Amino acid sequence: MPFQPLRTFIAFFFISLSLFGQSGNIPYSTDYYYLLERYEVKSGQLAIEYHVNVKPFERRRVASYLEAMETDSMGLSKVDSFNLRYLKQDSWEWLSDEPEQEKGLWNLFFQQRSDFYHFKNDEFDIHVNPVFHFGGGSSSLEGEKQNTFINTRGIRIRGSVNNKLGFYTYFSENQAGTPFYVRDFVLNTDGYPYNGYTKVVNGDSLNMVRDYFQAEGYLMFYPSKNIMLRLGHSKNFIGSGIRSMILSDFSSPYFNFAANVKLGRLEYQNLLAKMNNVQEDFDVADLEVIPPKFMVFHHLNLNVTKNFNLGLFEMVMFGDRKFDMNYLNPVIFYRFVEGLIGSSDNALVGADFKLNLAKRVSLYGQLVLDEFNRSQNDEDGWYGQKNAGQLGMKYFDFLGARNLDFQFEYNYARPYTFSHFTTYSNLLNYNLPMAHPLGANFKETILRSRYQPVDRLNMTLTYLWNQKGYDSDTLNWGGDLSKNYRVNRPLEFGNSIGQGAKGTIRLLRLSSSYMLYHNLWIDVSYQKRRFFGISGDQNENLFKFGIRYNAWKEDYLF
């Protein structure tokens, strides 16, 4: 089997360890993680327990951080104090002073507000929560209307055995109606945002009612208090922005092995992953295995000062049905390995940063270099100037208004960035971009305002503008990651962002969520999206409402 050497290596490594302890991760959610970053900025210093540019966070470390916060000097509002209690309750098993058990339902269920059922003693700990998300709405496009809906039922389970083996599993069964713009994205890319294999009911791609499963699951080990090992199917997110320009949660979950080393102000992550290359021909009806592709990634970041974090990362995409053992070395530059073995794999390097100021402002950014040639890079618009970047700012308690936050973010990716000359080495997983949803050859501005006027009510206003260059006729202008950038490339020099057939998106979204009970939310949202360019103007209005319990909102922001 193509991945057998890696499996053998990991199994041998685990067996040889004397395990120390465990913890689970907090599933990534934009809204949830935003609260944690807000507290970090208001505290006046970066978190030591975890680094915000590497997600998801471990529950154990989040609970430790929240308990250690000196809230007296932070000037927390009543709403901030409510959110703090909410976050602590959500990871209560890791608090040094556990909250008192409630009588609950039949002295069995809801004995802690955050758990439908839990059992905890010195040897075993388990938390079981049902998941549901029911909602409806309508999407209208140029006089055409379509009902949208979501019907999700599932379960989340996390826990530990003997304080040595941690586990997490999530499973849901879903049916969903699709807004027009998401349908068009799927038809153009043959990829379903945030998901892998998805069935279209009755093969009706026009209405595109989807029936699909969602599942994640992993084991976690601690050979020492400073080292965490994780093995299973999950997602990762690198960065502090709404987007990630290197690794986001937009694609399907994937099998991965992560090793995180945390030494005070320094954190190092090494990630090995097996993904799915559905660009290659395979016959699902005959149960043929989807061709695998592989990713290796490592990220080193340091809290240089109490308010400035700097990170460096490196990634290689490769495959063609085999895993190269050379990449198992966790403490070597992958670019050196690639040259040493004479490979044609796709290597990327980059950096990220985060700077907090005056307990109010957070500046952040990323830079990704997909290719660099000093002699050619000085030439104007050389096609090999493949790079992407991000620059953003978060302003908390904007202009002194409590719990009113403002965020600005600019993202770009030059033509041909993240693409390569084989389907095994581009940055696609299950036909979905692993970084930004638009792939490459685009620029984007996002403005977002969040307001929490009372304890349980959250309101968000988002404005997005982006412009992308699409292919015309048979020419490859650098925006489609699935294409070989060596084929049908019209220009050697003179390439620029947005080249080709320009398409522009303007999106305005107003959403509101009210928490009835711990992690039980009522949502209402309205979105107006305009696309104009290659196929004329398209104006789409989307209204949605719903109720969800222990379910995160998927942010179809593109």
Side-chain angles (χ1 to χ4, degrees):
M1 297 178 66
F3 212 53
Q4 190 63 38
L6 180 58
R7 292 175 181 168
T8 304
F9 171 81
I10 294 171
F12 175 81
F13 189 56
F14 283 163
I15 292 172
S16 64
L17 293 173
S18 175
L19 301 178
F20 178 82
Q22 62 76 37
S23 172
N25 288 332
I26 299 174
Y28 180 68
S29 160
T30 304
D31 295 335
Y32 194 104
Y33 276 64
Y34 193 87
L35 290 178
L36 294 172
E37 293 191 46
R38 175 181 167 84
Y39 286 120
E40 183 195 62
V41 173
K42 290 181 71 68
S43 72
Q45 60 183 23
L46 294 168
I48 296 295
E49 289 80 1
Y50 54 87
H51 289 181
V52 295
N53 283 348
V54 181
K55 301 177 175 75
F57 301 155
E58 301 168 45
R59 286 189 181 274
R60 174 177 68 100
R61 294 190 179 277
V62 168
S64 176
Y65 173 73
L66 295 175
E67 277 197 307
M69 280 197 318
E70 297 180 2
T71 56
D72 293 340
S73 63
M74 293 171 58
L76 298 183
S77 66
K78 179 182 176 182
V79 170
D80 287 324
S81 298
F82 171 84
N83 292 334
L84 182 58
R85 292 193 298 272
Y86 162 76
L87 293 173
K88 287 183 176 180
Q89 177 65 55
D90 213 50
S91 301
W92 66 268
E93 69 269 29
W94 293 105
L95 299 177
S96 58
D97 186 13
E98 293 183 4
E100 293 184 5
Q101 289 212 146
E102 301 177 9
K103 185 177 181 180
L105 182 64
W106 303 316
N107 288 324
L108 184 63
F109 304 110
F110 295 111
Q111 292 183 311
Q112 292 289 348
R113 294 176 64 85
S114 56
D115 293 326
F116 173 74
Y117 172 79
H118 82 270
F119 177 81
K120 188 175 187 295
N121 61 21
D122 293 339
E123 295 183 347
F124 184 65
D125 174 34
I126 189 169
H127 306 256
V128 180
N129 278 298
V131 174
F132 67 75
H133 188 184
F134 306 126
S138 64
S139 176
S140 62
L141 176 66
E142 306 300 335
E144 185 180 0
K145 291 188 177 181
Q146 182 164 289
N147 292 328
T148 64
F149 66 92
I150 182 70
N151 179 6
T152 295
R153 297 88 59 214
I155 190 170
R156 293 185 193 273
I157 302 174
R158 72 176 191 268
S160 63
V161 179
N162 290 326
N163 202 33
K164 292 182 178 181
L165 171 67
F167 58 89
Y168 170 85
T169 186
Y170 165 71
F171 173 82
S172 68
E173 207 269 334
N174 314 264
Q175 292 81 39
T178 309
F180 287 106
Y181 77 102
V182 177
R183 179 200 65 181
D184 291 343
F185 178 91
V186 173
L187 292 176
N188 288 329
T189 64
D190 197 24
Y192 297 85
Y194 303 102
N195 298 297
Y197 177 71
T198 302
K199 178 183 177 181
V200 177
V201 177
N202 298 324
D204 185 357
S205 60
L206 183 62
N207 292 312
M208 196 167 286
V209 174
R210 297 176 292 140
D211 190 349
Y212 59 98
F213 294 117
Q214 288 180 312
E216 292 189 30
Y218 55 80
L219 301 174
M220 296 184 70
F221 305 83
Y222 279 80
S224 77
K225 67 178 182 179
N226 300 109
I227 300 176
M228 182 278 292
L229 305 175
R230 184 188 73 225
L231 180 69
H233 283 81
S234 61
K235 297 184 182 183
N236 300 272
F237 191 100
I238 301 298
S240 293
I242 298 170
R243 312 291 202 188
S244 173
M245 300 308 296
I246 186 63
L247 188 59
S248 74
D249 65 332
F250 187 69
S251 71
S252 170
Y254 43 88
F255 180 77
N256 64 95
F257 168 65
N260 282 45
V261 179
K262 184 75 178 61
L263 298 172
R265 295 189 299 169
L266 183 146
E267 182 176 39
Y268 174 74
Q269 180 184 69
N270 189 60
L271 187 65
L272 311 175
K274 172 182 174 290
M275 298 183 175
N276 294 294
N277 184 9
V278 295
Q279 292 177 255
E280 294 294 307
D281 293 332
F282 65 98
D283 192 348
V284 176
D286 292 337
L287 301 180
E288 183 179 344
V289 175
I290 297 174
K293 58 192 297 185
F294 304 101
M295 177 193 75
V296 289
F297 176 87
H298 53 206
H299 184 282
L300 176 68
N301 72 109
L302 174 69
N303 289 346
V304 181
T305 70
K306 72 174 186 177
N307 280 310
F308 177 58
N309 177 275
L310 180 64
L312 302 173
F313 55 81
E314 188 178 21
M315 172 190 285
V316 176
M317 293 295 302
F318 62 102
D320 198 8
R321 298 184 180 271
K322 63 180 182 297
F323 184 91
D324 196 313
M325 296 289 287
N326 286 279
Y327 291 123
L328 287 177
N329 189 339
V331 288
I332 195 169
F333 288 107
Y334 294 142
R335 190 67 182 88
F336 169 78
V337 172
E338 186 195 24
L340 183 68
I341 62 179
S343 79
S344 57
D345 301 334
N346 187 10
L348 304 91
V349 297
D352 52 38
F353 81 93
K354 178 181 174 68
L355 174 64
N356 295 342
L357 301 170
K359 295 187 178 182
R360 287 287 182 90
V361 176
S362 179
L363 304 177
Y364 61 91
Q366 289 181 320
L367 177 64
V368 180
L369 300 178
D370 190 2
E371 191 164 332
F372 185 82
N373 185 304
R374 181 174 297 178
S375 61
Q376 298 277 21
N377 220 54
D378 293 334
E379 299 288 342
D380 183 42
W382 177 50
Y383 83 91
Q385 292 176 344
K386 298 163 59 180
N387 59 75
Q390 176 186 87
L391 188 62
M393 178 192 73
K394 298 173 185 176
Y395 189 150
F396 299 91
D397 294 336
F398 185 63
L399 299 179
R402 289 200 160 195
N403 299 101
L404 174 63
D405 303 336
F406 174 78
Q407 184 172 6
F408 162 83
E409 185 170 302
Y410 175 77
N411 303 295
Y412 81 90
R414 283 188 55 80
Y416 309 106
T417 306
F418 307 127
S419 63
H420 212 236
F421 46 82
T422 78
T423 62
Y424 291 96
S425 49
N426 59 33
L427 263 68
L428 290 176
N429 173 37
Y430 233 109
N431 276 348
L432 294 166
M434 292 162 51
H436 195 288
L438 293 182
N441 195 19
F442 73 88
K443 53 187 175 182
E444 174 186 64
T445 298
I446 303 177
L447 302 175
R448 174 168 284 178
S449 178
R450 300 171 182 264
Y451 184 44
Q452 191 174 356
V454 295
D455 290 353
R456 298 177 179 273
L457 178 64
N458 291 274
M459 305 171 68
T460 304
L461 179 65
T462 303
Y463 173 77
L464 173 148
W465 176 93
N466 62 45
Q467 188 174 80
K468 176 180 171 70
Y470 294 86
D471 293 344
S472 57
D473 299 324
T474 59
L475 298 179
N476 177 9
W477 288 103
D480 188 345
L481 306 192
S482 68
K483 293 185 177 180
N484 183 343
Y485 69 84
R486 293 178 172 177
V487 177
N488 295 328
R489 188 184 67 241
L491 299 173
E492 187 78 6
F493 301 98
N495 295 278
S496 61
I497 294 176
Q499 65 183 16
K502 284 187 174 60
T504 302
I505 295 173
R506 290 177 181 170
L507 182 149
L508 183 66
R509 177 187 296 171
L510 176 62
S511 60
S512 179
S513 298
Y514 187 84
M515 187 166 63
L516 296 171
Y517 187 76
H518 191 96
N519 283 334
L520 176 63
W521 300 87
I522 292 179
D523 302 314
V524 179
S525 68
Y526 171 75
Q527 174 177 295
K528 186 175 182 63
R529 182 182 185 272
R530 183 185 180 192
F531 176 86
F532 51 98
I534 57 177
S535 57
D537 288 9
Q538 293 181 331
N539 290 283
E540 181 174 355
N541 295 289
L542 176 63
F543 171 73
K544 294 196 302 182
F545 62 90
I547 183 170
R548 57 188 168 90
Y549 182 49
N550 295 313
W552 308 129
K553 292 183 293 185
E554 292 176 334
D555 197 4
Y556 293 99
L557 191 65
F558 54 85

PDB file of all heavy atoms in Angstrom, residues 29-50:
ATOM      1  N   SER A  29     -13.861  27.151  14.459  1.00  0.00           N
ATOM      2  CA  SER A  29     -15.027  27.966  14.115  1.00  0.00           C
ATOM      3  C   SER A  29     -14.594  29.417  14.148  1.00  0.00           C
ATOM      4  O   SER A  29     -13.986  29.874  15.123  1.00  0.00           O
ATOM      5  CB  SER A  29     -16.171  27.732  15.114  1.00  0.00           C
ATOM      6  OG  SER A  29     -17.100  28.797  15.081  1.00  0.00           O
ATOM      7  N   THR A  30     -14.899  30.159  13.090  1.00  0.00           N
ATOM      8  CA  THR A  30     -14.476  31.556  13.005  1.00  0.00           C
ATOM      9  C   THR A  30     -14.963  32.358  14.203  1.00  0.00           C
ATOM     10  O   THR A  30     -14.202  33.121  14.820  1.00  0.00           O
ATOM     11  CB  THR A  30     -15.002  32.188  11.705  1.00  0.00           C
ATOM     12  OG1 THR A  30     -14.554  31.421  10.593  1.00  0.00           O
ATOM     13  CG2 THR A  30     -14.503  33.607  11.556  1.00  0.00           C
ATOM     14  N   ASP A  31     -16.237  32.213  14.565  1.00  0.00           N
ATOM     15  CA  ASP A  31     -16.812  32.998  15.663  1.00  0.00           C
ATOM     16  C   ASP A  31     -16.192  32.620  17.007  1.00  0.00           C
ATOM     17  O   ASP A  31     -15.880  33.486  17.830  1.00  0.00           O
ATOM     18  CB  ASP A  31     -18.325  32.804  15.712  1.00  0.00           C
ATOM     19  CG  ASP A  31     -19.027  33.349  14.476  1.00  0.00           C
ATOM     20  OD1 ASP A  31     -18.464  34.256  13.834  1.00  0.00           O
ATOM     21  OD2 ASP A  31     -20.126  32.871  14.151  1.00  0.00           O
ATOM     22  N   TYR A  32     -16.030  31.329  17.256  1.00  0.00           N
ATOM     23  CA  TYR A  32     -15.505  30.848  18.526  1.00  0.00           C
ATOM     24  C   TYR A  32     -14.062  31.308  18.722  1.00  0.00           C
ATOM     25  O   TYR A  32     -13.697  31.838  19.775  1.00  0.00           O
ATOM     26  CB  TYR A  32     -15.581  29.327  18.550  1.00  0.00           C
ATOM     27  CG  TYR A  32     -15.397  28.683  19.902  1.00  0.00           C
ATOM     28  CD1 TYR A  32     -16.488  28.185  20.595  1.00  0.00           C
ATOM     29  CD2 TYR A  32     -14.134  28.544  20.474  1.00  0.00           C
ATOM     30  CE1 TYR A  32     -16.327  27.558  21.832  1.00  0.00           C
ATOM     31  CE2 TYR A  32     -13.963  27.933  21.699  1.00  0.00           C
ATOM     32  CZ  TYR A  32     -15.058  27.443  22.376  1.00  0.00           C
ATOM     33  OH  TYR A  32     -14.897  26.844  23.597  1.00  0.00           O
ATOM     34  N   TYR A  33     -13.248  31.125  17.704  1.00  0.00           N
ATOM     35  CA  TYR A  33     -11.833  31.474  17.808  1.00  0.00           C
ATOM     36  C   TYR A  33     -11.623  32.986  17.872  1.00  0.00           C
ATOM     37  O   TYR A  33     -10.637  33.461  18.429  1.00  0.00           O
ATOM     38  CB  TYR A  33     -11.053  30.858  16.645  1.00  0.00           C
ATOM     39  CG  TYR A  33     -10.648  29.423  16.914  1.00  0.00           C
ATOM     40  CD1 TYR A  33     -11.604  28.424  17.072  1.00  0.00           C
ATOM     41  CD2 TYR A  33      -9.322  29.062  17.047  1.00  0.00           C
ATOM     42  CE1 TYR A  33     -11.252  27.115  17.327  1.00  0.00           C
ATOM     43  CE2 TYR A  33      -8.940  27.758  17.306  1.00  0.00           C
ATOM     44  CZ  TYR A  33      -9.914  26.786  17.450  1.00  0.00           C
ATOM     45  OH  TYR A  33      -9.535  25.495  17.720  1.00  0.00           O
ATOM     46  N   TYR A  34     -12.552  33.731  17.319  1.00  0.00           N
ATOM     47  CA  TYR A  34     -12.450  35.182  17.385  1.00  0.00           C
ATOM     48  C   TYR A  34     -12.518  35.658  18.837  1.00  0.00           C
ATOM     49  O   TYR A  34     -11.810  36.605  19.226  1.00  0.00           O
ATOM     50  CB  TYR A  34     -13.567  35.826  16.566  1.00  0.00           C
ATOM     51  CG  TYR A  34     -13.361  37.301  16.327  1.00  0.00           C
ATOM     52  CD1 TYR A  34     -12.618  37.747  15.238  1.00  0.00           C
ATOM     53  CD2 TYR A  34     -13.895  38.255  17.187  1.00  0.00           C
ATOM     54  CE1 TYR A  34     -12.418  39.092  15.002  1.00  0.00           C
ATOM     55  CE2 TYR A  34     -13.698  39.601  16.972  1.00  0.00           C
ATOM     56  CZ  TYR A  34     -12.966  40.015  15.873  1.00  0.00           C
ATOM     57  OH  TYR A  34     -12.760  41.358  15.662  1.00  0.00           O
ATOM     58  N   LEU A  35     -13.353  35.024  19.649  1.00  0.00           N
ATOM     59  CA  LEU A  35     -13.438  35.389  21.066  1.00  0.00           C
ATOM     60  C   LEU A  35     -12.098  35.189  21.769  1.00  0.00           C
ATOM     61  O   LEU A  35     -11.659  36.035  22.566  1.00  0.00           O
ATOM     62  CB  LEU A  35     -14.517  34.562  21.761  1.00  0.00           C
ATOM     63  CG  LEU A  35     -15.980  34.851  21.402  1.00  0.00           C
ATOM     64  CD1 LEU A  35     -16.892  33.894  22.148  1.00  0.00           C
ATOM     65  CD2 LEU A  35     -16.342  36.296  21.726  1.00  0.00           C
ATOM     66  N   LEU A  36     -11.432  34.080  21.466  1.00  0.00           N
ATOM     67  CA  LEU A  36     -10.145  33.807  22.105  1.00  0.00           C
ATOM     68  C   LEU A  36      -9.103  34.851  21.709  1.00  0.00           C
ATOM     69  O   LEU A  36      -8.310  35.306  22.545  1.00  0.00           O
ATOM     70  CB  LEU A  36      -9.662  32.405  21.723  1.00  0.00           C
ATOM     71  CG  LEU A  36     -10.519  31.243  22.239  1.00  0.00           C
ATOM     72  CD1 LEU A  36     -10.054  29.921  21.649  1.00  0.00           C
ATOM     73  CD2 LEU A  36     -10.482  31.189  23.766  1.00  0.00           C
ATOM     74  N   GLU A  37      -9.107  35.259  20.436  1.00  0.00           N
ATOM     75  CA  GLU A  37      -8.156  36.280  20.004  1.00  0.00           C
ATOM     76  C   GLU A  37      -8.486  37.635  20.627  1.00  0.00           C
ATOM     77  O   GLU A  37      -7.585  38.429  20.914  1.00  0.00           O
ATOM     78  CB  GLU A  37      -8.158  36.362  18.481  1.00  0.00           C
ATOM     79  CG  GLU A  37      -7.594  35.105  17.821  1.00  0.00           C
ATOM     80  CD  GLU A  37      -7.338  35.296  16.336  1.00  0.00           C
ATOM     81  OE1 GLU A  37      -6.752  36.329  15.960  1.00  0.00           O
ATOM     82  OE2 GLU A  37      -7.737  34.414  15.557  1.00  0.00           O
ATOM     83  N   ARG A  38      -9.750  37.900  20.833  1.00  0.00           N
ATOM     84  CA  ARG A  38     -10.146  39.162  21.479  1.00  0.00           C
ATOM     85  C   ARG A  38      -9.572  39.254  22.893  1.00  0.00           C
ATOM     86  O   ARG A  38      -9.034  40.289  23.298  1.00  0.00           O
ATOM     87  CB  ARG A  38     -11.668  39.264  21.505  1.00  0.00           C
ATOM     88  CG  ARG A  38     -12.214  40.486  22.256  1.00  0.00           C
ATOM     89  CD  ARG A  38     -13.738  40.513  22.260  1.00  0.00           C
ATOM     90  NE  ARG A  38     -14.222  41.492  23.212  1.00  0.00           N
ATOM     91  CZ  ARG A  38     -14.360  42.783  22.958  1.00  0.00           C
ATOM     92  NH1 ARG A  38     -14.051  43.248  21.762  1.00  0.00           N
ATOM     93  NH2 ARG A  38     -14.794  43.608  23.900  1.00  0.00           N
ATOM     94  N   TYR A  39      -9.662  38.161  23.648  1.00  0.00           N
ATOM     95  CA  TYR A  39      -9.117  38.173  25.010  1.00  0.00           C
ATOM     96  C   TYR A  39      -7.603  38.319  24.998  1.00  0.00           C
ATOM     97  O   TYR A  39      -7.031  38.998  25.856  1.00  0.00           O
ATOM     98  CB  TYR A  39      -9.517  36.899  25.750  1.00  0.00           C
ATOM     99  CG  TYR A  39     -10.970  36.889  26.164  1.00  0.00           C
ATOM    100  CD1 TYR A  39     -11.832  35.913  25.700  1.00  0.00           C
ATOM    101  CD2 TYR A  39     -11.483  37.870  27.013  1.00  0.00           C
ATOM    102  CE1 TYR A  39     -13.170  35.907  26.063  1.00  0.00           C
ATOM    103  CE2 TYR A  39     -12.816  37.869  27.388  1.00  0.00           C
ATOM    104  CZ  TYR A  39     -13.653  36.887  26.906  1.00  0.00           C
ATOM    105  OH  TYR A  39     -14.978  36.894  27.263  1.00  0.00           O
ATOM    106  N   GLU A  40      -6.948  37.698  24.037  1.00  0.00           N
ATOM    107  CA  GLU A  40      -5.494  37.811  23.969  1.00  0.00           C
ATOM    108  C   GLU A  40      -5.067  39.261  23.760  1.00  0.00           C
ATOM    109  O   GLU A  40      -4.154  39.758  24.420  1.00  0.00           O
ATOM    110  CB  GLU A  40      -4.950  36.939  22.840  1.00  0.00           C
ATOM    111  CG  GLU A  40      -3.432  36.953  22.767  1.00  0.00           C
ATOM    112  CD  GLU A  40      -2.902  36.392  21.468  1.00  0.00           C
ATOM    113  OE1 GLU A  40      -3.198  36.978  20.409  1.00  0.00           O
ATOM    114  OE2 GLU A  40      -2.190  35.384  21.517  1.00  0.00           O
ATOM    115  N   VAL A  41      -5.728  39.950  22.833  1.00  0.00           N
ATOM    116  CA  VAL A  41      -5.375  41.343  22.558  1.00  0.00           C
ATOM    117  C   VAL A  41      -5.661  42.218  23.774  1.00  0.00           C
ATOM    118  O   VAL A  41      -4.840  43.054  24.169  1.00  0.00           O
ATOM    119  CB  VAL A  41      -6.135  41.860  21.322  1.00  0.00           C
ATOM    120  CG1 VAL A  41      -5.908  43.354  21.134  1.00  0.00           C
ATOM    121  CG2 VAL A  41      -5.685  41.104  20.074  1.00  0.00           C
ATOM    122  N   LYS A  42      -6.810  42.025  24.395  1.00  0.00           N
ATOM    123  CA  LYS A  42      -7.186  42.863  25.547  1.00  0.00           C
ATOM    124  C   LYS A  42      -6.305  42.592  26.762  1.00  0.00           C
ATOM    125  O   LYS A  42      -6.188  43.443  27.651  1.00  0.00           O
ATOM    126  CB  LYS A  42      -8.656  42.643  25.900  1.00  0.00           C
ATOM    127  CG  LYS A  42      -9.622  43.211  24.867  1.00  0.00           C
ATOM    128  CD  LYS A  42     -11.070  43.005  25.265  1.00  0.00           C
ATOM    129  CE  LYS A  42     -11.445  43.898  26.432  1.00  0.00           C
ATOM    130  NZ  LYS A  42     -11.456  45.332  26.078  1.00  0.00           N
ATOM    131  N   SER A  43      -5.673  41.414  26.811  1.00  0.00           N
ATOM    132  CA  SER A  43      -4.799  41.102  27.951  1.00  0.00           C
ATOM    133  C   SER A  43      -3.480  41.861  27.884  1.00  0.00           C
ATOM    134  O   SER A  43      -2.775  41.981  28.883  1.00  0.00           O
ATOM    135  CB  SER A  43      -4.516  39.599  27.991  1.00  0.00           C
ATOM    136  OG  SER A  43      -3.639  39.213  26.937  1.00  0.00           O
ATOM    137  N   GLY A  44      -3.100  42.337  26.697  1.00  0.00           N
ATOM    138  CA  GLY A  44      -1.864  43.099  26.559  1.00  0.00           C
ATOM    139  C   GLY A  44      -0.640  42.264  26.282  1.00  0.00           C
ATOM    140  O   GLY A  44       0.473  42.789  26.212  1.00  0.00           O
ATOM    141  N   GLN A  45      -0.803  40.949  26.081  1.00  0.00           N
ATOM    142  CA  GLN A  45       0.343  40.105  25.735  1.00  0.00           C
ATOM    143  C   GLN A  45      -0.133  38.838  25.035  1.00  0.00           C
ATOM    144  O   GLN A  45      -1.253  38.374  25.244  1.00  0.00           O
ATOM    145  CB  GLN A  45       1.162  39.746  26.964  1.00  0.00           C
ATOM    146  CG  GLN A  45       0.419  38.976  28.035  1.00  0.00           C
ATOM    147  CD  GLN A  45       1.281  38.716  29.247  1.00  0.00           C
ATOM    148  OE1 GLN A  45       2.254  39.426  29.507  1.00  0.00           O
ATOM    149  NE2 GLN A  45       0.945  37.689  29.996  1.00  0.00           N
ATOM    150  N   LEU A  46       0.740  38.320  24.167  1.00  0.00           N
ATOM    151  CA  LEU A  46       0.413  37.114  23.423  1.00  0.00           C
ATOM    152  C   LEU A  46       0.293  35.910  24.358  1.00  0.00           C
ATOM    153  O   LEU A  46       0.964  35.838  25.390  1.00  0.00           O
ATOM    154  CB  LEU A  46       1.503  36.835  22.385  1.00  0.00           C
ATOM    155  CG  LEU A  46       1.648  37.849  21.253  1.00  0.00           C
ATOM    156  CD1 LEU A  46       2.942  37.599  20.484  1.00  0.00           C
ATOM    157  CD2 LEU A  46       0.456  37.780  20.312  1.00  0.00           C
ATOM    158  N   ALA A  47      -0.557  34.992  23.960  1.00  0.00           N
ATOM    159  CA  ALA A  47      -0.718  33.764  24.737  1.00  0.00           C
ATOM    160  C   ALA A  47       0.556  32.932  24.653  1.00  0.00           C
ATOM    161  O   ALA A  47       1.173  32.822  23.593  1.00  0.00           O
ATOM    162  CB  ALA A  47      -1.905  32.967  24.214  1.00  0.00           C
ATOM    163  N   ILE A  48       0.947  32.343  25.765  1.00  0.00           N
ATOM    164  CA  ILE A  48       2.076  31.423  25.810  1.00  0.00           C
ATOM    165  C   ILE A  48       1.595  29.986  25.647  1.00  0.00           C
ATOM    166  O   ILE A  48       2.265  29.143  25.049  1.00  0.00           O
ATOM    167  CB  ILE A  48       2.844  31.571  27.137  1.00  0.00           C
ATOM    168  CG1 ILE A  48       3.459  32.973  27.235  1.00  0.00           C
ATOM    169  CG2 ILE A  48       3.932  30.519  27.251  1.00  0.00           C
ATOM    170  CD1 ILE A  48       4.521  33.255  26.194  1.00  0.00           C
ATOM    171  N   GLU A  49       0.388  29.708  26.150  1.00  0.00           N
ATOM    172  CA  GLU A  49      -0.134  28.343  26.138  1.00  0.00           C
ATOM    173  C   GLU A  49      -0.356  27.823  24.712  1.00  0.00           C
ATOM    174  O   GLU A  49      -0.228  26.634  24.446  1.00  0.00           O
ATOM    175  CB  GLU A  49      -1.443  28.274  26.927  1.00  0.00           C
ATOM    176  CG  GLU A  49      -1.278  28.415  28.428  1.00  0.00           C
ATOM    177  CD  GLU A  49      -1.103  29.874  28.866  1.00  0.00           C
ATOM    178  OE1 GLU A  49      -1.120  30.784  28.001  1.00  0.00           O
ATOM    179  OE2 GLU A  49      -0.929  30.107  30.064  1.00  0.00           O
ATOM    180  N   TYR A  50      -0.736  28.704  23.796  1.00  0.00           N
ATOM    181  CA  TYR A  50      -0.935  28.329  22.396  1.00  0.00           C
ATOM    182  C   TYR A  50      -0.626  29.549  21.546  1.00  0.00           C
ATOM    183  O   TYR A  50      -0.627  30.689  22.035  1.00  0.00           O
ATOM    184  CB  TYR A  50      -2.375  27.853  22.138  1.00  0.00           C
ATOM    185  CG  TYR A  50      -3.434  28.847  22.574  1.00  0.00           C
ATOM    186  CD1 TYR A  50      -3.868  29.854  21.715  1.00  0.00           C
ATOM    187  CD2 TYR A  50      -4.006  28.784  23.848  1.00  0.00           C
ATOM    188  CE1 TYR A  50      -4.824  30.765  22.110  1.00  0.00           C
ATOM    189  CE2 TYR A  50      -4.958  29.694  24.251  1.00  0.00           C
ATOM    190  CZ  TYR A  50      -5.369  30.685  23.379  1.00  0.00           C
ATOM    191  OH  TYR A  50      -6.312  31.590  23.777  1.00  0.00           O
TER     192      TYR A  50
END
